Amino acid sequence: MDELIVSEIRKKNEVVLRELYKMHFPMVMNLVCSNSGTEQEAKDIYQEAVIAFYERVQQEHFRLTCRIKTFLYAICRRLWLKRLSEKKRFHGNIDETETFLQIDDVMLDMDEREKQFSQMSKALDGLGEPCRSIIEDFYIRDLSMEAIRDKFGYTNADNAKNQKYKCLQRLKKLFFENT
Amino acid sequence: MNSEQTLYEWIDLYAKGKLPADETVALEQRMHTDSEFRHKVEQQLKLIKALHEYGERRELKTNLDDIHAELEKETPVVPIHKTTGSTWKKYWPMTAVAASVALISIVGTLFMTRDLETKQTAYYKELRRNVDQIKKSQSIMMKDIAATKEKGKILPGNYAGTGFLISANGYLATSYHVVKDADSIYIENSTYGSFKASVVSSDPANDVSILKIDSIRLIGAIPFTIAKVEANLAEDVYTLGFPREDIVFGEGSVSALTGYKQNPNAYQISVPVNPGNSGGPLLNNKGDLIGMISGIQTETTGAAFAIKSTKLLNVIDSVKTDSLLVPLILPKQNSLKNSSRVQQVKQWTDYVFIVRIYKNN
């Protein structure tokens, strides 16, 4: 069952993701809410965990070492303890828990990715229009230069490419200067 | 289009996997040899990858938000513990326990204290009962002599005080409170038996009454005198009286030259007296009369009071000025002063009477 889900998610099957999400949310909600958290906080950390799982599944070398539920629970638990210790409500040693799942690796990876995500978000915000849209269209939405040219009303593809090049240069500067 | 821009185009294509195979090989080969070039390419690839991941993650996030919104719409997730995460919700069981403990403590303490209090109250009541008894005894002593209505009701004619002869022709002194309200008075002792007596004169202020034996009968010379001077502090004194049916001897000292509430007409004496002793003679070493027992102080042990003989004489004098059928002749000589106390007492018992009060209601 879990293998099936993993393989479907690897194929980015949205329906399966949806079901997976719905399946395990109550568990996390109980975990958080019975430990002085709110539903909103439960949602936040659950989504982080699901994203972590999702992204990990996308990696080629990913192998499921435990049940998905266990994985999600462990991550949520860890995340929640971290939040609590940030709020000075938890004084235990977080690292001592659940070492057998190699959660530490996952957590590090998550931190890294989260950091990169926020960095990119910031860089894109600093880029301004129309650069941001051009970059996003080309690199994220994978549009062709022709489509971009038409969309932004450039007279020829070279102009659009030129603009894109300039935008990318700026983005590069913004992104890496914060690293 | 400069070379850098061309390179970017290449890398874009390479990243998207759209670079032709031969160019890909060329690019990779150049990366192997030219480290500066490789760094540039890698940085570019990293940026593209980051962009890509950013896009994916953002999409995923919106996606999850959608799912969550949907989830909330179709089934409102009810947490097992419906908590808001507030401190109260988290700690209410502890709070409840603490509250219970506090409550139990309070109630327990209350119970215990109440218990304690009950005990104390009991003790206090007991004490009060004792006091009551003492009061009762005192009032009996007084009433004996005074023959109150209550006592009269319960035991008519069975209340008694003490009295003693002050003249050979049948005059006696006793306490006013013993004989007040009396309908009839009988005096009695083992030597002479019983006589009917009547009140000749009373001085309620000094608690003195003078009685006269109705049937005039000479008893013979009285062997003691009534002291005309006050006794000294710490003087040895003794008394005879009828707290019971038999005559009882008691001794002590003069402990103060004033009586209850600094009454200058009385002594405080440390002689054990009881109800029934009222009206008894207080005697000194010589067997002279120095006072007459009148009462005790309830709160203090060993504090009894006696009217001073000087006061008694004043009263007697005022009686004498009245016209008496039989003259009241006070004894003039003390024949006891050289006797031992036992001898004195033996003599004295002849002149001490139990005064019985009869009352008709």
Side-chain angles (χ1 to χ4, degrees):
Chain A
M1 179 63 186
D2 277 1
E3 272 77 16
L4 187 64
I5 291 171
V6 168
S7 66
E8 284 303 311
I9 284 181
R10 192 168 276 179
K11 286 186 230 157
K12 308 199 178 177
N13 186 329
E14 207 182 290
V15 179
V16 171
L17 179 67
R18 191 175 293 262
E19 290 312 310
L20 178 74
Y21 186 96
K22 287 178 186 173
M23 202 188 300
H24 297 308
F25 181 63
M27 166 187 76
V28 177
M29 175 119 151
N30 280 326
L31 168 72
V32 173
C33 288
S34 56
N35 286 287
S36 61
T38 62
E39 195 178 332
Q40 183 59 42
E41 284 170 317
K43 181 189 160 188
D44 286 350
I45 69 157
Y46 182 57
Q47 289 196 353
E48 265 188 68
V50 171
I51 289 168
F53 174 71
Y54 184 88
E55 285 176 350
R56 235 177 149 67
V57 168
Q58 302 308 320
Q59 291 168 6
E60 277 173 36
H61 61 266
F62 175 78
R63 291 192 63 83
L64 198 61
T65 52
C66 61
R67 291 184 60 204
I68 295 174
K69 188 175 180 175
T70 313
F71 182 84
L72 287 176
Y73 183 85
I75 290 179
C76 285
R77 184 185 134 87
R78 183 62 74 87
L79 282 173
W80 186 237
L81 289 178
K82 208 171 138 195
R83 291 261 180 111
L84 285 179
S85 69
E86 279 163 13
K87 286 201 247 173
K88 313 263 185 234
R89 294 285 290 275
F90 176 75
H91 303 289
N93 192 348
I94 300 171
D95 296 335
E96 279 176 7
T97 53
E98 293 140 358
T99 45
F100 60 94
L101 288 176
Q102 279 105 37
I103 291 295
D104 289 337
D105 291 351
V106 181
M107 297 301 293
L108 274 176
D109 194 37
M110 280 174 75
D111 280 353
E112 189 90 348
R113 281 165 185 273
E114 188 62 39
K115 205 170 139 197
Q116 191 187 297
F117 180 80
S118 64
Q119 250 172 35
M120 183 54 80
S121 178
K122 221 155 79 183
L124 283 171
D125 285 345
L127 204 55
E129 294 298 343
C131 268
R132 182 177 178 149
S133 297
I134 293 171
I135 295 288
E136 286 191 8
D137 279 348
F138 185 78
Y139 291 101
I140 297 171
R141 296 187 197 98
D142 222 0
L143 295 181
S144 68
M145 281 317 290
E146 286 71 28
I148 292 170
R149 183 198 63 196
D150 291 347
K151 187 179 169 188
F152 290 90
Y154 290 106
T155 48
N156 59 50
D158 277 348
N159 274 355
K161 277 184 183 172
N162 210 14
Q163 184 64 35
K164 188 204 75 182
Y165 167 68
K166 282 175 185 164
C167 290
L168 195 65
Q169 287 281 67
R170 275 180 61 214
L171 179 69
K172 191 173 168 185
K173 210 175 155 201
L174 282 168
F175 181 71
F176 284 109
E177 79 183 4
N178 289 327
T179 312
Chain B
M1 204 184 275
N2 60 30
S3 63
E4 180 113 349
Q5 195 179 348
T6 318
L7 177 62
Y8 275 26
E9 292 299 320
W10 264 24
I11 296 168
D12 283 350
L13 286 174
Y14 176 72
K16 290 189 181 187
K18 288 175 184 169
L19 200 66
D22 51 339
E23 288 185 45
T24 309
V25 173
L27 186 77
E28 284 175 349
Q29 261 180 357
R30 195 175 161 194
M31 275 167 70
H32 268 294
T33 49
D34 189 342
S35 66
E36 198 187 328
F37 176 76
R38 193 180 67 194
H39 178 71
K40 209 176 254 178
V41 172
E42 276 179 349
Q43 205 178 33
Q44 185 70 10
L45 283 174
K46 192 181 170 190
L47 183 67
I48 291 168
K49 191 172 166 249
L51 261 172
H52 198 69
E53 280 173 0
Y54 169 81
E56 278 205 330
R57 186 177 262 245
R58 198 177 57 181
E59 196 192 334
L60 188 59
K61 275 193 175 175
T62 14
N63 221 335
L64 291 179
D65 278 342
D66 282 353
I67 297 171
H68 196 87
E70 196 180 293
L71 182 72
E72 277 178 337
K73 215 186 288 173
E74 53 186 48
T75 46
V77 182
V78 181
I80 293 170
H81 310 283
K82 182 69 184 170
T83 58
T84 59
S86 71
T87 319
W88 168 247
K89 292 275 170 131
K90 187 181 178 187
Y91 291 109
W92 79 264
M94 274 172 260
T95 315
V97 169
S100 320
V101 170
L103 197 70
I104 288 165
S105 312
I106 291 168
V107 172
T109 312
L110 266 175
F111 262 107
M112 275 157 62
T113 333
R114 205 188 59 172
D115 213 36
L116 218 64
E117 254 176 14
T118 329
K119 271 178 195 164
Q120 277 176 341
T121 315
Y123 175 67
Y124 176 70
K125 275 180 183 169
E126 226 169 47
L127 186 66
R128 226 167 44 162
R129 222 180 293 142
N130 285 341
V131 173
D132 279 347
Q133 275 181 339
I134 291 167
K135 274 186 179 167
K136 226 194 291 179
S137 311
Q138 191 194 28
S139 64
I140 285 169
M141 173 167 83
M142 309 272 254
K143 303 292 181 168
D144 271 357
I145 295 159
T148 59
K149 289 174 187 173
E150 280 177 38
K151 301 302 174 185
K153 268 179 209 166
I154 302 163
L155 286 167
N158 250 342
Y159 291 91
T162 307
F164 55 94
L165 279 173
I166 53 174
S167 81
N169 51 4
Y171 285 95
L172 291 99
T174 187
S175 289
Y176 166 73
H177 69 249
V178 174
V179 294
K180 71 171 180 185
D181 305 329
D183 288 335
S184 58
I185 303 163
Y186 285 85
I187 59 163
E188 182 188 328
N189 76 4
S190 52
T191 313
Y192 295 106
S194 179
F195 306 99
K196 193 174 191 309
S198 54
V199 177
V200 172
S201 173
S202 283
D203 183 355
N206 289 306
D207 197 20
V208 173
S209 278
I210 306 296
L211 308 182
K212 172 80 175 76
I213 300 171
D214 289 350
S215 54
I216 301 163
R217 179 171 158 180
L218 291 175
I219 286 170
I222 286 173
F224 60 89
T225 58
I226 299 171
K228 292 185 175 69
V229 291
E230 285 194 12
N232 296 310
L233 203 59
E235 202 174 315
D236 282 342
V237 291
Y238 66 96
T239 186
L240 292 164
F242 290 91
R244 35 188 294 223
E245 289 299 301
D246 289 320
I247 192 159
V248 171
F249 167 86
E251 68 173 337
S253 327
V254 175
S255 15
L257 296 179
T258 56
Y260 185 61
K261 289 183 177 173
Q262 284 76 47
N263 176 11
N265 297 330
Y267 299 115
Q268 184 189 321
I269 49 169
S270 61
V271 176
V273 292
N274 292 299
N277 267 110
S278 274
L282 185 69
L283 311 169
N284 65 10
N285 270 334
K286 296 175 186 168
D288 278 338
L289 185 87
I290 60 162
M292 182 173 73
I293 307 295
S294 60
I296 57 169
Q297 189 175 340
T298 53
E299 296 87 2
T300 321
T301 43
F305 301 104
I307 304 293
K308 292 175 178 174
S309 57
T310 48
K311 202 68 214 164
L312 183 63
L313 284 170
N314 288 348
V315 177
I316 291 167
D317 281 346
S318 68
V319 173
K320 280 208 285 188
T321 57
D322 297 341
S323 55
L324 288 175
L325 286 176
V326 180
L328 200 173
I329 302 148
L330 289 175
K332 300 258 177 6
Q333 266 199 327
N334 184 345
S335 57
L336 298 173
K337 57 185 160 196
N338 294 321
S339 314
S340 70
R341 178 162 294 182
V342 177
Q343 290 304 315
Q344 284 174 10
V345 169
K346 205 174 259 177
Q347 293 266 309
W348 251 104
T349 49
D350 291 347
Y351 305 101
V352 180
F353 291 82
I354 182 166
V355 180
R356 293 192 193 279
I357 306 305
Y358 293 87
K359 209 157 184 302
N360 285 335
N361 55 348

